[in-house]
Amino acid sequence: MTTPDPHDHATRAASFSHGADVYAAVRPTYPDPVVAYLVPPGARRVLDLGAGTGKLTSSLVAQGLDVVAVDPSEPMLEQLRAALPGVEAHVGTAESIPLPDGSVDAVVVGQAWHWFDHAAASAEIARVLRHGGTLGVVWNDRDTSEDWVARFGEILHRGDRLEPVADHVTPVLGPIYDDVEEASFRWADEIATASLRPLAGSRSFLLTLPAQDRDALLAAVDELVATHPDLAGRERVALPYVTHAYRARLR
C-alpha cells in the first residue's frame, strides 16, 4: 500500500473523500451577503463547482436558486445528497464539467479554486456559462487577529510545505472574463470548542499525514483548547472568519 505524500498537491486534493463525514459536520457555511455578492440578480440556474459536502450549496438553495452540484469525490457528494436530496449532483471536475454548453447563469467555487488547473477550469467554466454569466470564487479564512485563532492556525500549518499554495489569491481568469472584482466579509461561526479537534482533522494536510504525526498535531489542538484563556473551560466559542469573495462576468 502506497503511503500518502502530504506534500503532494494531487494527493491532498483527493484526500477529502476519506473525511467526508467529518467535513460535513464541522466545516463552516457561507453568510447570506456572500451568496448575494457571488450570484447576480436574475440568476436562476447556478453551478456549485467543487461542491464537496454542500456547504455553499445549502446557502444557495436557501436563497431559492436552482442549484446543480459537481465534485470529483463521490463520498463528498453522498453527504451532499443526504443533506440536500433535491439538488442535482454529478461527479466531475472543474476541467471537465458534465453539463451542456451555456446551461447555467452563474458558477460558484467555494474553498476549491486552488485545487483546479486554473487555465483549463476558466475555459471550461466559460463553456457552461450562458453569455454574460458570472463566475464567483470564495474562501473562508480564519481571522488570525485573535490570538487563539492565530495559534490554532499555526498548529494546522506546522510542517505543511504546501500551505502557501492553498492561501486565497485573486483568480486569474484570462481575457474571456471582465476584470475580477473583490469584496471581504467579516463574520463568526459559533462552534463547540470540542469541534476544533475534528475541524483540524478535516484539513487535507492532516488527512494525508502518517497517523503518529497527525495525532501529535491533534494533541496540540487539544492542549490549546485546554490551556488558552479564551478557550479553557468554555463549551462554545465564536470562530471569526474573513470571507474573501471574487467575481467576474463572462464577456
Side-chain angles (χ1 to χ4, degrees):
M1 181 177 176
T2 303
T3 302
D5 180 358
H7 306 295
D8 177 70
H9 189 268
T11 300
R12 292 271 289 270
S15 68
F16 296 108
S17 292
H18 305 297
D21 54 342
V22 175
Y23 194 108
V26 300
R27 287 293 185 108
T29 57
Y30 298 85
D32 290 344
V34 173
V35 176
Y37 180 82
L38 294 173
V39 180
R44 295 299 307 152
R45 178 76 163 165
V46 179
L47 165 61
D48 186 0
L49 184 58
T53 63
K55 291 296 182 176
L56 181 52
T57 315
S58 63
S59 298
L60 296 165
V61 169
Q63 297 302 312
L65 296 164
D66 177 19
V67 186
V68 56
V70 170
D71 194 88
S73 168
E74 178 60 35
M76 297 286 270
L77 289 179
E78 287 175 2
Q79 296 289 327
L80 185 151
R81 294 187 186 104
L84 302 164
V87 171
E88 177 185 342
H90 303 281
V91 172
T93 67
E95 300 79 19
S96 182
I97 301 170
L99 296 179
D101 295 358
S103 57
V104 296
D105 301 310
V107 175
V108 296
V109 179
Q111 223 74 17
W113 184 260
H114 52 285
W115 300 121
F116 299 169
D117 177 320
H118 296 164
S122 296
E124 182 68 347
I125 290 167
R127 181 186 66 78
V128 301
L129 275 173
R130 296 183 179 127
H131 178 70
T134 299
L135 167 61
V137 178
V138 63
W139 279 273
N140 278 326
D141 291 336
R142 293 177 305 278
D143 184 355
T144 56
S145 64
E146 290 200 24
D147 181 72
W148 78 264
V149 181
R151 296 190 185 200
F152 180 59
E154 186 279 324
I155 295 168
L156 302 188
H157 303 164
R158 195 176 290 170
D160 183 358
R161 298 200 300 266
L162 286 189
E163 183 56 29
V165 176
D167 285 346
H168 80 269
V169 292
T170 302
V172 177
L173 303 177
I176 56 176
Y177 295 88
D178 287 341
D179 291 343
V180 176
E181 301 174 339
E182 176 182 357
S184 297
F185 303 82
R186 291 185 176 273
W187 65 289
D189 187 26
E190 185 177 316
I191 61 172
T193 51
S195 71
L196 288 170
R197 178 187 174 97
L199 180 60
S202 74
R203 295 182 61 82
S204 64
F205 180 49
L206 276 81
L207 287 170
T208 53
L209 279 175
Q212 182 176 352
D213 296 337
R214 179 172 59 253
D215 290 346
L217 292 184
L218 293 175
V221 172
D222 292 340
E223 182 179 6
L224 178 73
V225 171
T227 61
H228 195 283
D230 292 339
L231 300 174
R234 299 182 61 178
E235 292 187 357
R236 302 190 67 80
V237 68
L239 175 51
Y241 284 95
V242 181
T243 298
H244 297 274
Y246 304 85
R247 66 185 182 188
R249 182 178 176 273
L250 181 68
R251 294 183 187 275

